[in-house]
Amino acid sequence: MDIPRIFNISESAHRIHNPFTPEKLAMLGAALRLKPGAHLLDLGSGSGEMLCSWARDHAITGTGIDMSALFSAQAQARAEELGVSDRVQFLHADATGYVAPEKADVAACVGATWIGGGIAGTIALLSQSLGEGGLLLIGEPFWRKLPPTEEVAQGCRAGSIADFLLLPDLIGFFATLGYDVVEMMLADQDSWDRYEAAKWLTMRRWLAENPADAFAGEVRAELDTAPERYARYGRDYLGWGVFALMPR
């Protein structure tokens, strides 16, 4: 059980596996007004930076679940580095269908709504683990402007234009599901650049260290195309944000 190998390679040096900088992640934690002792469930927790840094900064506890064996190990190491390993735990597991044994104060899926088959399914799944008065966190792409063609959408790593919504429509969609948007934090162009461009150096160094690896051809192909694709398509059209929701 693991995620596709290209992500384990290209994002192996990332602490945050989405287009947020540490500063934006810290701003989001402050904006949510987290109370000491609150418990956060994070489905698709990656390398654990959100749980670990918020446990350090806000004295919360948390449980993270991720399919990547590498990222799960990095998360545990980060918890020990920040001195919060007694307050957070990380499980290497498939979060699909996961419901926590005890209710959480915050239930999050930041950038992995495939876990629930899309936004609506992920919200429905998270809501089963959320305590009364708690917050849901959804991290999701949106169109900054509609791509003019399906080719442009695919250049943004979408399957089609219909895969994502414009930001006002995304917020409106949350309302149709019965939720108030009570806070949001959006990636900006600089934070997108840091997320995407950091992959390129990681892949180049991996290729230098693993020239005989059977997967080297796929990494080489990704490195050959990713910088131009991002500059031509993703940088102008694709947005991303984390949205805090409360049921109406």
Side-chain angles (χ1 to χ4, degrees):
M1 177 182 60
D2 214 324
I3 62 174
R5 193 179 180 198
I6 189 63
F7 298 113
N8 274 327
I9 292 172
S10 65
E11 298 192 22
S12 60
H14 283 53
R15 281 185 177 168
I16 302 171
H17 301 280
N18 60 59
F20 267 10
T21 59
E23 293 77 15
K24 279 193 174 291
L25 191 62
M27 287 173 61
L28 177 60
L32 297 178
R33 309 172 200 174
L34 299 167
K35 295 181 180 179
H39 188 78
L40 191 159
L41 172 68
D42 188 7
L43 303 187
S45 51
S47 296
E49 190 67 11
M50 184 169 76
L51 270 179
C52 292
S53 62
W54 289 1
R56 176 197 62 195
D57 296 341
H58 303 286
I60 67 167
T61 65
T63 300
I65 301 171
D66 200 273
M67 285 183 67
S68 169
L70 173 64
F71 298 164
S72 297
Q74 290 177 337
Q76 188 58 50
R78 184 62 168 157
E80 293 169 3
E81 179 184 2
L82 296 186
V84 296
S85 58
D86 60 331
R87 298 204 294 275
V88 297
Q89 63 172 335
F90 294 97
L91 308 177
H92 174 224
D94 183 353
T96 303
Y98 182 86
V99 177
E102 297 183 4
K103 298 295 186 180
D105 300 290
V106 182
C109 183
V110 177
T113 55
W114 54 265
I115 286 172
I119 297 172
T122 300
I123 288 175
L125 174 62
L126 289 173
S127 67
Q128 296 179 63
S129 299
L130 188 66
E132 184 72 23
L135 293 171
L136 295 181
L137 295 184
I138 295 290
E140 185 70 8
F142 58 86
W143 294 124
R144 296 178 62 196
K145 57 184 179 182
L146 279 179
T149 66
E150 294 292 350
E151 179 184 7
V152 172
Q154 290 162 10
C156 298
R157 306 296 182 107
S160 70
I161 295 172
D163 281 2
F164 305 134
L165 299 169
L166 290 166
L167 180 58
D169 297 330
L170 177 58
I171 291 174
F173 182 61
F174 292 135
T176 68
L177 297 175
Y179 288 83
D180 290 323
V181 177
V182 297
E183 184 56 89
M184 72 177 185
M185 192 73 61
L186 304 182
D188 57 30
Q189 204 161 64
D190 287 341
S191 59
W192 262 111
D193 289 349
R194 296 290 8 100
Y195 172 58
E196 292 291 345
K199 301 175 189 178
W200 309 335
L201 179 58
T202 300
M203 288 189 287
R204 183 63 181 84
R205 287 181 168 168
W206 184 91
L207 286 167
E209 295 167 1
N210 300 275
D213 193 292
F215 198 66
E218 294 191 42
V219 176
R220 180 74 256 177
E222 177 65 14
L223 182 56
D224 285 347
T225 57
E228 181 180 351
R229 183 194 305 115
Y230 170 64
R232 186 177 300 279
Y233 300 115
R235 206 166 187 269
D236 287 337
Y237 289 95
L238 196 59
W240 194 85
V242 177
F243 304 87
L245 313 175
M246 294 183 72
R248 291 182 170 177

